[in-house]
Amino acid sequence: GENVEQHPSTLSVQEGDSAVIKCTYSDSASNYFPWYKQELGKRPQLIIDIRSNVGEKKDQRIAVTLNKTAKHFSLHITETQPEDSAVYFCAASKGGSGNTGKLIFGQGTTLQVKP
Amino acid sequence: DAGITQSPRYKITETGRQVTLMCHQTWSHSYMFWYRQDLGHGLRLIYYSAAADITDKGEVPDGYVVSRSKTENFPLTLESATRSQTSVYFCASSFQGADSPLHFGNGTRLTVT
């Protein structure tokens, strides 16, 4: 079945440093890869996503890269700030008929940004 | 996102009891989802629905029942609650399935004693 592995499970960085979170997926038919941020006690919220026909996407301080051959994708946060502290989830979905409801999440990465 | 609401926010129930978690969205999104969140497991898909009267299993459907008689509502029922079902449950909706952004509700924290 589909599987998404996320690493590391915890990450601690100094304010201003960069943070990188990596995910691998098992299903070569996956075609949509979102990233969600969840602050303590709150709901997950989408921060960036990428589709399989794109290799990289950037939005201000965050970027996502996708390597379809290796079946992995990464989240990059530059110039980290204390408000970036949260749990980050990657996910992968399958398109096509019969699979349009299955978005599978990684286990999450707890990012701590130290002031 | 105020357009999707879950109730109750907190629920304590006993083993063996039936409990229903409610989810309501006002966007007329076709797709709705139920996830459970447990430490070390992230978010796991329980059931999803592509439209009214169309539901399908996710990764961990055992012990749960869903229905979708109206587009805006997607209740999740635990027919006979077990301690292993203690978790935080998130409902979500999307316009175009799992390959479009999911909008999550605030979650329901369920404790089974």
Side-chain angles (χ1 to χ4, degrees):
Chain A
E2 301 91 344
N3 189 43
V4 178
E5 295 288 333
Q6 182 172 346
H7 298 280
S9 57
T10 60
L11 180 59
S12 181
V13 300
Q14 289 294 136
E15 182 177 359
D17 287 351
S18 296
V20 180
I21 303 170
K22 298 181 180 180
C23 289
T24 59
Y25 60 98
S26 59
D27 193 336
S28 56
S30 293
N31 59 8
Y32 176 65
F33 307 91
W35 286 88
Y36 286 82
K37 175 183 179 182
Q38 185 179 28
E39 296 176 354
L40 190 62
K42 298 195 175 179
R43 71 186 89 194
Q45 292 192 300
L46 180 76
I47 55 171
I48 195 167
D49 56 11
I50 192 168
R51 298 192 183 273
S52 57
N53 58 348
V54 176
E56 183 173 357
K57 184 176 179 181
K58 190 173 182 180
D59 183 3
Q60 299 183 341
R61 294 187 298 108
I62 60 173
V64 57
T65 58
L66 171 65
N67 183 327
K68 283 204 68 181
T69 303
K71 291 193 282 188
H72 67 70
F73 56 113
S74 300
L75 178 71
H76 305 253
I77 306 174
T78 58
E79 300 171 21
T80 54
Q81 301 167 3
E83 52 265 38
D84 294 329
S85 296
V87 179
Y88 291 81
F89 292 97
C90 64
S93 81
K94 279 181 69 171
S97 73
N99 293 303
T100 51
K102 292 189 176 177
L103 183 68
I104 306 301
F105 283 83
Q107 298 88 341
T109 296
T110 300
L111 174 64
Q112 181 187 27
V113 180
K114 297 178 182 177
Chain B
D1 293 330
I4 181 164
T5 54
Q6 292 183 236
S7 61
R9 286 297 310 276
Y10 304 93
K11 176 73 177 178
I12 300 174
T13 192
E14 294 177 343
T15 300
R17 290 196 179 262
Q18 181 179 82
V19 61
T20 296
L21 309 184
M22 305 301 293
C23 180
H24 175 80
Q25 53 107 354
T26 59
W27 293 305
S28 299
H29 283 167
S30 295
Y31 284 81
M32 296 187 76
F33 310 82
W34 275 106
Y35 284 88
R36 61 177 289 175
Q37 185 173 32
D38 306 288
L39 277 175
H41 290 281
L43 292 152
R44 291 182 291 175
L45 181 64
I46 304 171
Y47 270 96
Y48 68 98
S49 169
D53 297 321
I54 301 174
T55 62
D56 205 351
K57 296 178 181 179
E59 302 168 86
V60 289
D62 293 344
Y64 302 96
V65 175
V66 294
S67 62
R68 191 148 177 229
S69 56
K70 293 183 178 181
T71 300
E72 60 266 31
N73 296 323
F74 191 38
L76 176 73
T77 297
L78 289 67
E79 292 194 304
S80 179
T82 64
R83 289 198 181 91
S84 65
Q85 293 177 310
T86 293
S87 186
V88 179
Y89 291 85
F90 283 100
C91 178
S93 72
S94 76
F95 175 66
Q96 202 173 331
D99 54 358
S100 63
L102 265 58
H103 300 267
F104 285 88
N106 279 324
T108 294
R109 182 175 293 276
L110 176 68
T111 301
V112 183
T113 62

